[in-house]
Amino acid sequence: MTKKNQIQLFNDRKVRTVWDSDKEEWYFSVVDVVGVLTDSDNPRRYLSDLKRKLKKEGSEVYENIVQLKLKSADGKMRLTDVATTEQMFRLIQSIPSPKAEPFKQWMAQVAANRIDQMQDPELSIEQAVCDYRRLGYSEEWINQRIRSIETRKMLTDEWKRGGVKDWQYATLTDIVTKQWSDMTTKEYKQHKRLRKESLRDNMTNIELALNMLAEASTTEISKQRNPKTFSQHTNVARSGGDVAKAARNELESRLGHSVISSDKSSDYLMGAESPRPIERK
């Protein structure tokens, strides 16, 4: 199962969700939904009491609930009860709340939006733009970020054409990144004090531009050389990274300082929550 964790908003309340690309279905955090519907100070206790009540009544509504890892308040990934849209609809019937019907309509809309986005990729881009605006990014940065998503897609398509396996993308990405930034992706994230956050979502305009140049150059060089082996692909990745490294060196020589920033987006997005990954395949 390919899983993508996302935070959805219902009336400014966060609901953690997971998209299962194989089943093409959303999973909703049960405790988050309970918190939204009940406004309880302790939704976990409410949920625990609800479980006992349902079990005593012989209800099977909780029988097929599964657990998936979601990011908790302390930033750690923890196993959490999640339910499909259909399961949540059934569970909501057991929770007396004036928000029940509006919430069910919201859940149905979340599911419908995802289906629409799968049919029309442009809608996914529009959603990404809205998400970035809500988080406080500038229009200039957003435009750059959207272009970087397209550039990344062109590179992975080229790797796929050249026979590179999905699990090898990370290795090649590390090579490209290290070649122009002198850091692997992991080292770059550590430099910015990131944990689960997206590295690209925390790059400055210049960093994004250099990364795009490295990936676009790798794509074009690959098309020209047509590598057949993984070793040949790694050489192409280094060559693509070298193009951006030369541009970086030239810019830094004129500026007199490094353009690699240790800042992460929460350092300069006033009042914004820590950004989540909004990576598009």
Side-chain angles (χ1 to χ4, degrees):
M1 174 170 67
T2 301
K3 302 186 292 294
K4 281 187 176 293
N5 293 335
Q6 289 191 16
I7 292 178
Q8 310 282 352
L9 292 178
F10 172 76
N11 292 345
D12 296 325
R13 295 287 298 275
K14 294 180 182 179
V15 178
R16 291 169 295 170
T17 63
V18 179
W19 173 252
D20 182 338
S21 62
D22 292 342
K23 296 181 180 179
E24 296 186 355
E25 191 161 35
W26 282 113
Y27 286 86
F28 297 80
S29 165
V30 178
V31 70
D32 290 355
V33 173
V34 168
V36 168
L37 294 180
T38 65
D39 291 321
S40 171
D41 293 333
N42 194 336
R44 295 187 184 281
R45 178 179 296 176
Y46 187 102
L47 179 58
S48 179
D49 292 341
L50 179 62
K51 287 180 184 179
R52 286 195 294 270
K53 175 176 177 292
L54 292 173
K55 185 176 181 179
K56 185 176 181 179
E57 293 174 351
S59 173
E60 298 180 355
V61 67
Y62 223 88
E63 185 175 329
N64 296 318
I65 297 293
V66 298
Q67 287 192 326
L68 294 175
K69 284 191 175 183
L70 299 178
K71 184 181 287 188
S72 59
D74 61 7
K76 296 182 178 181
M77 301 297 289
R78 301 183 186 279
L79 286 173
T80 306
D81 287 355
V82 295
T84 64
T85 305
E86 180 180 355
Q87 290 169 335
M88 274 312 327
F89 281 161
R90 294 174 59 201
L91 188 60
I92 289 172
Q93 301 302 324
S94 305
I95 304 175
S97 170
K99 298 180 183 178
E101 192 58 35
F103 192 85
K104 286 193 290 185
Q105 294 174 7
W106 173 82
M107 286 178 56
Q109 188 61 50
V110 168
N113 286 345
R114 180 59 188 179
I115 293 173
D116 289 344
Q117 289 171 9
M118 291 169 61
Q119 300 299 322
D120 184 358
E122 186 176 342
L123 294 176
S124 294
I125 295 175
E126 291 175 358
Q127 183 61 54
V129 170
C130 291
D131 288 339
Y132 284 129
R133 282 175 179 158
R134 177 178 57 79
L135 290 170
Y137 289 97
S138 70
E139 291 299 316
E140 179 185 0
W141 186 96
I142 293 172
N143 291 335
Q144 185 102 305
R145 181 68 178 96
I146 297 303
R147 287 195 296 271
S148 77
I149 293 172
E150 181 181 2
T151 300
R152 175 66 180 180
K153 179 65 165 57
M154 292 173 64
L155 176 57
T156 55
D157 284 349
E158 174 60 20
W159 282 340
K160 184 177 182 180
R161 184 194 69 81
V164 178
K165 306 301 182 184
D166 289 357
W167 57 269
Q168 295 174 314
Y169 290 0
T171 300
L172 292 177
T173 299
D174 267 349
I175 292 172
V176 174
T177 304
K178 186 174 180 62
Q179 206 66 21
W180 77 262
S181 70
D182 298 321
M183 291 179 284
T184 64
T185 303
K186 181 178 180 180
E187 291 168 343
Y188 209 151
K189 293 183 72 171
Q190 290 174 340
H191 182 63
K192 286 182 175 288
R193 311 179 313 283
L194 303 175
R195 298 183 65 184
K196 297 293 183 179
E197 303 96 323
S198 163
L199 175 58
R200 289 176 175 83
D201 282 356
N202 287 274
M203 285 183 172
T204 64
N205 283 341
I206 291 177
E207 288 173 308
L208 270 178
L210 290 171
N211 196 63
M212 286 171 59
L213 176 59
E215 294 193 330
S217 299
T218 302
T219 300
E220 294 306 311
I221 294 171
S222 178
K223 289 178 180 178
Q224 183 185 67
R225 295 185 185 176
N226 198 26
K228 301 298 184 182
T229 66
F230 186 72
S231 177
Q232 291 173 341
H233 277 290
T234 62
N235 290 333
V236 169
R238 291 189 183 93
S239 295
D242 282 341
V243 174
K245 180 61 176 294
R248 175 194 165 192
N249 288 341
E250 175 65 20
L251 179 57
E252 289 180 345
S253 70
R254 294 175 181 271
L255 294 176
H257 62 79
S258 175
V259 295
I260 303 296
S261 172
S262 62
D263 290 344
K264 54 184 179 180
S265 61
S266 57
D267 294 333
Y268 50 82
L269 292 178
M270 299 301 294
E273 61 185 273
S274 298
R276 64 182 184 276
I278 315 180
E279 195 71 50
R280 298 292 186 264
K281 288 188 174 181

